[in-house]
Amino acid sequence: MSATTFPTAATPLDPATRDTRPTLARLIAVELRKMVDTRAGLWLLLATGGLTLLIVVVVCITGEATDQTWARLTEAATLPASVLLPIIGILLVSSEWSQRSALVTFALVPHRGRVLLAKLLAGVGLAIAAFVLCIAVAAVATAVTATTAPGQWSLSLAMLLQILVNVVQGMVMGIGFGALFLASAPGIVFYFVLPIAWSIIGEIDALTGVAEWLDGSKSLDPLTDHLMSATEWARACTTLLVWTALPVVAGWMRIRREELK
């Protein structure tokens, strides 16, 4: 006859680890991993790297001596990142709802603002890493071409920061559109269509002055072309406020109220 056993009291939890939440650094690491967990995200990253190398090689082979300076090669190398990385940002947010993982994510981290902040910081981190890689690729290409163009290695810190702003703002804008629409297809479509539509509307004579402040094709292009004046920075900041900050805030408000499924 076996002895009767009684359940023992549960081992008390360590007060130091009880009710603790994941740190922001851990959330950022999780969001960085999510960028390569899907085939779409992985292939977009590979495509960004491949196109960067391809464009730099083409410029080195077919470009004029003035195009083979470190400044021009850096501008060319960052072009794929500024176009494709925002799509990764859109997918990073919208995939939570399209793949129905939002319920798990927000069950583990109920504070939705912290999750969105982690996504933003992870996206900015990826954009900075891509920017550094582009600088390195452009520097190697500049050394290989070894042209006699004046100012071959002339690239000021201020110009580097401007190019970095151009890459980072695209990623943040993509995350904002992903949060605003919470679906991949409309987020990607509207990310490209709305600025193009506004550029077309801005060609109307009555809106030309407004377009200089709100049309990214006009106000943000100087970021990669030359050192900007105070007026140009004012126009760029106005455009970033409307096309980048506003979607992020609106998306954050929607995520806060969106029903989990």
Side-chain angles (χ1 to χ4, degrees):
M1 183 176 180
S2 59
T4 303
T5 59
F6 296 93
T8 58
T11 303
L13 295 175
D14 184 358
T17 59
R18 184 175 55 192
D19 298 331
T20 58
R21 60 182 183 178
T23 62
L24 184 60
R26 185 172 183 180
L27 292 178
I28 294 173
V30 170
E31 298 302 332
L32 286 171
R33 189 189 64 198
K34 288 181 181 179
M35 293 182 185
V36 296
D37 274 351
T38 62
R39 282 180 291 181
L42 178 60
W43 279 105
L44 279 170
L45 285 174
L46 293 176
T48 302
L51 286 174
T52 298
L53 293 175
L54 178 62
I55 289 177
V56 170
V57 169
V58 169
V59 172
C60 289
I61 295 175
T62 64
E64 301 291 337
T66 54
D67 297 324
Q68 296 172 353
T69 62
W70 191 23
R72 289 303 179 186
L73 286 172
T74 299
E75 178 185 349
T78 56
L79 181 60
S82 62
V83 174
L84 295 180
L85 288 185
I87 301 178
I88 298 177
I90 294 173
L91 295 176
L92 180 63
V93 183
S94 62
S95 61
E96 296 281 7
W97 273 262
S98 61
Q99 298 179 11
R100 298 188 176 181
S101 60
L103 182 60
V104 177
T105 298
F106 295 125
L108 296 174
V109 187
H111 197 302
R112 301 186 183 187
R114 293 187 75 232
V115 176
L116 182 58
L117 177 60
K119 291 180 184 295
L120 283 169
L121 294 178
V124 170
L126 178 64
I128 294 175
F131 171 72
V132 172
L133 180 61
C134 290
I135 293 177
V137 171
V140 172
T142 304
V144 170
T145 54
T147 64
T148 57
Q152 183 181 12
W153 290 98
S154 178
L155 183 57
S156 65
L157 177 60
M159 194 65 207
L160 280 174
L161 292 177
Q162 286 186 189
I163 298 174
L164 175 60
V165 169
N166 184 60
V167 176
V168 171
Q169 68 83 22
M171 172 62 84
V172 176
M173 181 178 172
I175 293 175
F177 271 69
L180 183 60
F181 292 98
L182 296 181
S184 303
I188 294 173
V189 169
F190 281 105
Y191 173 83
F192 288 104
V193 170
L194 287 180
I196 294 174
W198 172 245
S199 296
I200 296 173
I201 295 174
E203 294 300 323
I204 300 174
D205 292 340
L207 298 176
T208 302
V210 178
E212 292 181 352
W213 292 82
L214 297 178
D215 185 358
S217 64
K218 293 182 174 65
S219 60
L220 298 182
D221 275 357
L223 284 171
T224 59
D225 186 62
H226 59 267
L227 291 178
M228 295 168 58
S229 64
T231 301
E232 288 175 324
W233 269 115
R235 291 171 179 170
C237 289
T238 303
T239 301
L240 293 177
L241 181 65
V242 173
W243 290 100
T244 303
L246 189 58
V248 170
V249 173
W252 172 69
M253 294 177 64
R254 182 179 180 184
I255 287 177
R256 285 185 59 193
R257 301 176 180 179
E258 189 70 14
E259 181 180 356
L260 299 179
K261 300 178 182 179

